[in-house]
Amino acid sequence: QVRLIESGGGLVQAGGSLRLSCAASGRTFSYYAMGWFRRAPGKDREFVAAINRPGGSTYYADFVKGRFTISRDNAKNTVYLQMNSLRPEDTAVYYCAASVSGSVYYSRNYDYWGQGTQVTVSS
């Protein structure tokens, strides 16, 4: 069983930055690929970024590549999402998730989800 707790969301102006954290319980954190998804107002949940188990490979949605960086610290059981150059359209609830197997691009392949953290970007 894995429990995920996100933190770091908040209100920022366009062009600003936020660093989201997702703390995971248990000793098997390194067994999971980790991903970030978001749900914007009026939209479905969408893939943002993911990182494999060792942390050597990362994956990004086109709309965040070059602005967001995903990383993980297996010793701390934590995954991060550094968000720079934020835009109003980045406003959403951001969720972290853990995946045992399958493509990291699809939410159906994730086994555990956090509660979400609100990110609001003002213009």
Side-chain angles (χ1 to χ4, degrees):
Q1 185 68 225
V2 176
R3 183 181 179 186
L4 306 174
I5 303 176
E6 300 105 329
S7 62
L11 174 64
V12 298
Q13 291 187 333
S17 298
L18 284 174
R19 182 179 174 87
L20 305 184
S21 298
C22 178
S25 65
R27 298 180 179 180
T28 59
F29 176 74
S30 62
Y31 183 72
Y32 299 92
M34 299 296 297
W36 287 95
F37 290 77
R38 71 185 187 187
R39 185 177 177 87
K43 297 183 178 180
D44 292 330
R45 185 168 57 191
E46 62 184 351
F47 171 79
V48 176
I51 187 166
N52 70 349
R53 297 167 184 173
S57 298
T58 56
Y59 314 85
Y60 297 96
D62 288 342
F63 56 83
V64 303
K65 191 172 184 179
R67 299 190 298 125
F68 293 7
T69 302
I70 188 171
S71 62
R72 68 190 296 164
D73 187 337
N74 289 339
K76 296 181 178 179
N77 284 2
T78 302
V79 63
Y80 305 94
L81 185 67
Q82 178 66 47
M83 305 187 296
N84 299 325
S85 301
L86 284 163
R87 307 164 180 167
E89 54 263 40
D90 293 319
T91 295
V93 177
Y94 284 72
Y95 303 87
C96 68
S99 174
V100 175
S101 64
S103 173
V104 297
Y105 295 102
Y106 302 102
S107 61
R108 64 176 177 270
N109 294 322
Y110 288 79
D111 304 281
Y112 302 98
W113 293 83
Q115 81 287 352
T117 185
Q118 177 70 49
V119 172
T120 302
V121 184
S122 62
S123 60

